[in-house]
Amino acid sequence: MSYRQEYPRPQLVRNEWLNLNGVWAFAFDDKNIGTAERWYKKDISEYPQQIQVPFAFQSELSGINDQNFHDIIWYKRKFETSGTWKGKQIFLHFGAVDYRTWVYVNEELVGYHEGGHTSFSFDITDYLTGGTETISVKVEDPSEDETIPRGKQYWKEKPDSIWYSRTSGIWQTVWLEAISHDHIKKLKFTPDLDNGTVIVEFEVSGDHVGKEVDFEIEFDGKTVVKDSITIYEAYNKRSFDLYNHKIFRTGFHHYGWNWSPENPNLFDVKVRLHQNGTILDEVTSYFGMRKVHIENGMVYLNNRPYYQKLVLDQGYWPKGLLTAPTDDALKKDIELAKEMGFNGCRKHQKVEDPRFLYWADQLGYLVWGECAASPSFNEDAVARLTREWLEIIDRDYNHPSVVAWVPLNESWGVPNIMSNKQQQHHSLAMYYLLHSIDPTRLVISNDGWELTKTDICAIHNYNHGQKEEANKYEQFKLDLSTKESVLASMPARRGIYANGFEHQGEPIILTEFGGIGYKVNEDDGWGYTSVTNPTDFLDDYKRIMEAVYSSKILFGYCYTQLTDVEQEINGLLTYDRKPKCELMEIKQINDQWHPDTIK
């Protein structure tokens, strides 16, 4: 059986492609001899194992299920291209490979990539023979290196506390794409809600001079823009009017044509590159008219105050680890969260598969995008995190569901940021870097505590205690009651702002809390508090949410967490996505107070 056969890049879709997921030859290279012995020249029959791509060897679905340290691994497979692809450029795409990757085609090195969480590709046209072809992939993932962005992947062999099993090697779809020499290289949409326009930037590769690009934009199946542009430069930029002086499109009354969790309106786009009646390239995409900004201590969505009810989502699955077993599994997580009354998630310490963002766009679900952190700080860690973020925003810029970026979390990778100026500068650099390449979203400088410059005062606080710990619970309520008490609190004995920084009026949101531990099977585990049955689980959830909703200064929250993960049993759902109680009961609690103010 081959898993994950859906088209992997929903923001730039072409018809001519080939999915390479499935069974590959596989080998561990624990002695690091594979390059010297030219394993990329080995016959597939000489590889000792097989693996199901795109699952990491540590996962059950890979067919290997080995959690021991294996820092260097090799893959190999054969493929054939379609006869209709003759004369076209063939690109080999990798959704994500953790962490360093060398790719060989027909025993020739075609490229190298460093970074474990984002997409990359190589033009392999000149390496193909036209017959049966081979791909060999070498991956190095240093298990104990604490300066690479690893997120929740533990640098010790056995998962423990808040740290989970590692994911090494290929963990998202591998695929081929056939493209004309002259083609659309890049397509970027920036909605301008205030002016009712969308700004489209695109690049054309190859011989572009004098060629034409046709744009067709549809809303709800009806064409709203149809335009043709003769191009003379590789890079081009155009603005298209969508509202066209029609008040009911603007969202001034009701929702109009804007995107929100309540009304996930999307515009479908077709782009054709052609010359003298011959179509050279054709792609489809989509965008949403969405604006997010802060004002008067509140987050605004489409120029209206919007109360965010988020849930922390680690993006792990029991059989696939970081890789969802199916596309429907990604969709189902969003549907379950919405069923419980959440309007979004904070995707925690993981750059999620683009298919998740596609479903968030389609279903209406806010996403705070986060990158895996490195545990330690040095110049290498800074460079690696920076490169990852450049690639993240390049890949995910067009998704309307993404409303915030979180470059740092709980001082991971910057353990001395409270007083260390160098680490503070790193936080500031990430804040301004992300704003410099994406002015359309919010940036949270260090989610949890010890914030520097930030768009949201994002606070973590698990000090709500057990039901019988009345004094602890009252202190938790007191800490959330006023701006002064919030800013004076010391969650995890850390200050809310780093030395030299202070609250500048940005919205205050409780972005981690809860974590009620409830074991529903035989597995041992832990939570921040503990209950033993569904009734007490709901009672404790209601008790904690009452404290959050009673606060007059919080403008949103992110509850910990959507699902159990390995030894953590503090999810609203089990690890295999079974509800721990009636989901409607959770929704009634979430809906009871402070309804969303967007109307």
Side-chain angles (χ1 to χ4, degrees):
M1 177 180 180
S2 293
Y3 292 85
R4 302 303 303 271
Q5 295 298 301
E6 69 283 344
Y7 191 86
R9 190 185 58 197
Q11 278 285 351
L12 193 66
V13 179
R14 290 188 175 94
N15 291 327
E16 293 188 288
W17 71 290
L18 177 66
N19 193 308
L20 295 180
N21 291 342
V23 176
W24 290 51
F26 182 81
F28 294 123
D29 186 8
D30 294 342
K31 296 181 180 179
N32 192 17
I33 59 176
T35 301
E37 294 186 354
R38 294 177 173 83
W39 285 12
Y40 52 87
K41 291 181 177 289
K42 273 189 175 184
D43 189 80
I44 284 177
S45 62
E46 297 181 72
Y47 279 67
Q49 298 187 73
Q50 291 184 329
I51 190 169
Q52 184 75 234
V53 169
F55 299 100
F57 71 79
Q58 294 95 339
S59 71
E60 182 179 334
L61 286 176
S62 73
I64 296 177
N65 198 22
D66 184 341
Q67 287 80 43
N68 295 314
F69 283 169
H70 299 288
D71 288 3
I72 301 175
I73 54 180
W74 289 79
Y75 301 77
K76 192 162 191 173
R77 71 156 289 163
K78 296 178 181 179
F79 70 94
E80 293 182 0
T81 59
S82 169
T84 62
W85 289 9
K86 188 175 181 180
K88 295 192 174 183
Q89 288 183 286
I90 311 302
F91 280 81
L92 173 60
H93 296 274
F94 293 84
V97 185
D98 199 350
Y99 175 68
R100 299 185 183 99
T101 309
W102 292 260
V103 178
Y104 302 81
V105 172
N106 293 327
E107 303 179 358
E108 296 288 339
L109 180 66
V110 300
Y112 166 80
H113 179 264
E114 179 175 341
H117 310 95
T118 51
S119 307
F120 59 95
S121 61
F122 304 110
D123 181 350
I124 63 170
T125 311
D126 294 339
Y127 298 87
L128 301 178
T129 66
T132 299
E133 324 281 0
T134 63
I135 301 173
S136 302
V137 179
K138 174 189 174 182
V139 182
E140 181 183 16
D141 186 23
S143 301
E144 297 179 294
D145 188 341
E146 297 183 30
T147 65
I148 65 174
R150 56 192 322 116
K152 289 300 192 83
Q153 300 182 56
Y154 204 18
W155 52 95
K156 297 184 180 180
E157 278 202 320
K158 302 300 180 184
D160 186 45
S161 184
I162 63 171
W163 312 105
Y164 312 143
S165 297
R166 291 170 304 285
T167 291
S168 297
I170 298 169
W171 66 277
Q172 288 183 29
T173 293
V174 186
W175 55 293
L176 292 170
E177 182 179 36
I179 313 175
S180 298
H181 178 265
D182 305 325
H183 60 269
I184 305 296
K185 184 178 179 181
K186 200 169 188 178
L187 191 59
K188 182 177 180 180
F189 301 103
T190 302
D192 184 347
L193 198 81
D194 295 331
N195 290 307
T197 62
V198 61
I199 299 166
V200 182
E201 297 173 76
F202 63 98
E203 293 183 36
V204 177
S205 181
D207 183 12
H208 53 268
V209 177
K211 292 182 171 62
E212 293 188 352
V213 176
D214 295 343
F215 280 90
E216 186 173 354
I217 301 175
E218 293 184 350
F219 181 78
D220 198 22
K222 296 180 181 179
T223 300
V224 294
V225 169
K226 198 168 186 178
D227 201 0
S228 184
I229 304 163
T230 302
I231 59 172
Y232 296 94
E233 301 285 349
Y235 168 80
N236 297 268
K237 183 176 182 179
R238 292 294 186 274
S239 176
F240 296 118
D241 192 334
L242 301 175
Y243 295 163
N244 201 23
H245 302 300
K246 296 185 184 298
I247 191 66
F248 289 121
R249 296 181 181 180
T250 67
F252 183 78
H253 296 292
H254 306 289
Y255 294 102
W257 286 7
N258 299 335
W259 185 96
S260 71
E262 294 72 26
N263 287 270
N265 295 318
L266 295 171
F267 292 79
D268 295 311
V269 183
K270 293 180 182 178
V271 185
R272 297 181 187 90
L273 175 69
H274 61 94
Q275 186 177 38
N276 299 326
T278 300
I279 295 177
L280 304 172
D281 191 22
E282 183 172 3
V283 299
T284 60
S285 188
Y286 67 89
F287 65 89
M289 292 296 287
R290 189 268 297 127
K291 175 185 177 183
V292 58
H293 76 283
I294 57 173
E295 186 178 335
N296 300 323
M298 296 180 288
V299 176
Y300 281 67
L301 182 65
N302 302 336
N303 292 325
R304 296 183 182 185
Y306 195 88
Y307 191 89
Q308 295 180 81
K309 300 179 179 182
L310 310 178
V311 64
L312 196 74
D313 182 356
Q314 311 273 7
Y316 270 75
W317 280 266
K319 294 184 178 182
L321 301 180
L322 285 181
T323 309
T326 64
D327 188 49
D328 189 61
L330 294 166
K331 179 183 179 183
K332 188 64 176 177
D333 273 5
I334 297 173
E335 291 174 333
L336 288 168
K338 287 176 72 75
E339 190 176 340
M340 289 185 282
F342 297 102
N343 55 30
C345 75
R346 179 172 159 229
K347 184 59 74 166
H348 192 37
Q349 286 298 293
K350 179 189 181 185
V351 183
E352 190 53 275
D353 190 312
R355 294 294 306 182
F356 178 87
L357 299 180
Y358 167 80
W359 286 118
D361 296 338
Q362 296 288 329
L363 299 173
Y365 193 63
L366 303 177
V367 178
W368 286 23
E370 196 170 334
C371 180
S374 58
S376 299
F377 180 86
N378 69 4
E379 291 80 0
D380 289 337
V382 169
R384 289 165 180 162
L385 186 67
T386 302
R387 284 196 298 268
E388 295 265 7
W389 271 107
L390 293 173
E391 294 184 2
I392 291 167
I393 294 179
D394 182 63
R395 192 196 76 174
D396 295 340
Y397 181 89
N398 286 343
H399 291 284
S401 57
V402 181
V403 295
W405 299 121
V406 185
L408 295 172
N409 169 75
E410 286 189 348
S411 303
W412 296 1
V414 282
N416 301 313
I417 192 173
M418 190 68 185
S419 57
N420 184 293
K421 291 295 184 182
Q422 184 180 9
Q423 295 181 18
Q424 290 178 4
H425 288 319
H426 176 48
S427 172
L428 290 169
M430 295 306 300
Y431 173 84
Y432 286 112
L433 171 67
L434 268 56
H435 270 302
S436 73
I437 56 178
D438 183 2
T440 71
R441 292 177 172 91
L442 307 179
V443 178
I444 295 88
S445 67
N446 185 19
D447 204 296
W449 44 68
E450 297 175 337
L451 292 147
T452 57
K453 174 69 175 174
T454 186
D455 294 333
I456 289 177
C457 177
I459 298 172
H460 300 178
N461 191 328
Y462 291 98
N463 296 330
H464 30 72
Q466 299 281 147
K467 183 178 180 180
E468 61 273 11
E469 295 178 295
N471 291 338
K472 194 170 185 179
Y473 178 67
E474 288 303 318
Q475 182 60 49
F476 176 71
K477 289 181 68 176
L478 178 63
D479 285 346
L480 303 180
S481 60
T482 66
K483 182 176 74 172
E484 291 73 22
S485 59
V486 165
L487 298 178
S489 63
M490 295 282 289
R493 293 179 292 184
R494 294 181 181 253
I496 302 301
Y497 284 86
N499 293 344
F501 298 88
E502 60 184 6
H503 187 246
Q504 299 291 322
E506 55 268 15
I508 300 173
I509 297 181
L510 188 63
T511 51
E512 280 192 37
F513 69 103
I516 303 167
Y518 173 30
K519 181 173 72 172
V520 296
N521 52 39
E522 298 305 314
D523 296 332
D524 290 329
W526 68 275
Y528 291 93
T529 60
S530 181
V531 297
T532 58
N533 59 72
T535 300
D536 288 347
F537 184 69
L538 279 168
D539 285 346
D540 216 31
Y541 184 79
K542 184 176 181 180
R543 175 182 70 92
I544 294 169
M545 292 308 301
E546 282 178 340
V548 173
Y549 280 119
S550 67
S551 172
K552 303 301 182 185
I553 53 89
L554 292 179
F555 204 72
Y557 60 79
C558 179
Y559 178 83
T560 303
Q561 62 184 336
L562 180 64
T563 74
D564 293 349
V565 184
E566 298 190 340
Q567 67 277 359
E568 287 190 38
I569 55 170
N570 51 21
L572 296 166
L573 311 170
T574 64
Y575 200 6
D576 58 357
R577 277 54 176 176
K578 298 294 190 301
K580 293 187 177 181
C581 62
E582 290 293 331
L583 300 188
M584 184 55 65
E585 299 280 354
I586 297 291
K587 178 175 171 55
Q588 288 175 354
I589 295 170
N590 286 345
D591 288 350
Q592 189 170 350
W593 299 274
H594 211 319
D596 300 323
T597 53
I598 188 168
K599 300 296 182 183

